Amino acid sequence: MTTPDVTGDLWPALRRHTQARIGMGRAGSALSTRHRLELQSAHAAARDAVHAPFAPDAIAEVLPGLPTVRVRSAAPDRLTYLQRPDLGRRLDPTDRAHLPMGDWDVVFVVADGLSSRAVHEHAAAVVRETVTRLPAWNVAPVVLAEQARVALGDDIAHAMGAAMVVVLVGERPGMSAADSLGAYLTYAPKPGVTTDADRNCLSNIRPPLGLTYETAAGKLSGLMGRARESGVTGVGLKDEIDCGSVSEQLR
């Protein structure tokens, strides 16, 4: 069998169909200057996304008609958050007392996670699109959570009496995407008991290169309806709609 000659003008054509770095040129035994500078720029964007401050007021402004509540995790600052993932999964005791209790069907938690940029750019649109698909649901005030990881949603939902929680969180930046948003759905979350296997995840929400807001909201609302009917999320709830990527991402 002969190996096809993937050279010349074929690489630019292939690169139009993927963000993966393929067919990069060389200068001797090293990358070409252009590709080396592109890698350095992508690395800088990833670092900036991790350390950029969270702006809950800006998110609240683009959620008209939806009340919001601000909370923090037990991590007092960004450095501690990065070094102590466990603290990012627990609510600050003072903020817990300010959460409104109610007979909520669902609470949406917008969490900075590892990319505030992703949250600032995409989270509000996903919340708006999803809520419009839930006219008969009792939706709790949107919780804006700082220094937060996915499991903080368990603590929040438990404190508010919500039947399920959707955590919209900035995903770990990569060298091709620093603005990827994830949506984690958990039914009947229990702090310290619920595991990653109990969640469903929609990842790479970031149009136009990832899931669109409409697709994400459609898949998410569909999963929520089936979760309410079956009383389960995670490995027991499969996404059967072939219009995007649903994955179980451990965090």
Side-chain angles (χ1 to χ4, degrees), residues 109-134:
V109 177
V110 176
D112 51 359
L114 291 171
S115 175
S116 292
R117 172 184 168 186
V119 175
H120 295 156
E121 294 182 6
H122 309 303
V126 176
V127 172
R128 292 195 305 266
E129 288 286 341
T130 306
V131 169
T132 60
R133 290 165 167 80
L134 307 170

Side-chain angles (χ1 to χ4, degrees), residues 10 22 32 42-43 63 74 85 89 104 106 145 152 154 172 178-179 188 194 201 208:
L10 182 56
I22 59 174
S32 66
H43 184 254
L63 288 173
R89 301 183 181 108
W104 312 114
V106 63
L152 188 71
D154 302 342
R172 183 178 293 107
D179 63 336
T194 297
C201 172

Side-chain angles (χ1 to χ4, degrees), residues 2-229:
T2 59
T3 303
D5 182 19
V6 187
T7 57
D9 293 338
L10 182 56
W11 283 122
L14 291 175
R15 280 196 290 268
R16 286 198 295 269
H17 301 284
T18 178
Q19 286 186 278
R21 290 180 169 80
I22 59 174
M24 294 188 292
R26 292 185 299 174
S29 60
L31 286 174
S32 66
T33 300
R34 178 170 68 89
H35 287 111
R36 183 176 180 181
L37 291 175
E38 288 175 351
L39 283 170
Q40 291 176 339
S41 176
H43 184 254
R47 288 177 60 90
D48 287 347
V50 170
H51 293 284
F54 185 46
D57 290 340
I59 296 174
E61 288 178 1
V62 289
L63 288 173
L66 293 174
T68 60
V69 182
R70 292 157 179 72
V71 300
R72 298 162 297 171
S73 74
D77 52 55
R78 198 61 175 172
L79 180 59
T80 304
Y81 169 82
L82 295 172
Q83 294 176 337
R84 291 283 307 275
D86 59 309
L87 296 181
R89 301 183 181 108
R90 301 204 304 264
L91 262 174
D92 176 271
T94 302
D95 290 348
R96 182 195 305 275
H98 298 149
L99 288 172
M101 281 288 295
D103 187 21
W104 312 114
D105 292 320
V106 63
V107 57
F108 288 87
V109 177
V110 176
D112 51 359
L114 291 171
S115 175
S116 292
R117 172 184 168 186
V119 175
H120 295 156
E121 294 182 6
H122 309 303
V126 176
V127 172
R128 292 195 305 266
E129 288 286 341
T130 306
V131 169
T132 60
R133 290 165 167 80
L134 307 170
W137 287 53
N138 188 18
V139 179
V142 178
V143 178
L144 308 177
E146 188 173 1
Q147 313 295 9
R149 295 185 183 266
V150 172
L152 188 71
D154 302 342
D155 213 352
I156 291 171
H158 186 263
M160 297 179 69
M164 69 180 76
V165 60
V166 176
V167 179
L168 300 170
V169 64
E171 297 185 306
R172 183 178 293 107
M175 294 297 282
S176 61
D179 63 336
S180 179
L181 184 76
Y184 291 77
L185 169 65
T186 312
Y187 183 84
K190 298 178 178 61
V193 176
T194 297
T195 69
D196 292 305
D198 300 313
R199 313 186 198 283
N200 290 88
C201 172
L202 298 177
S203 61
N204 198 36
I205 304 170
R206 55 184 198 101
L209 299 173
L211 285 182
T212 66
Y213 305 141
E214 294 80 5
T215 298
K219 292 173 71 66
L220 185 56
S221 59
L223 285 167
M224 291 167 65
R226 291 171 54 208
R228 184 159 68 169
E229 293 173 358

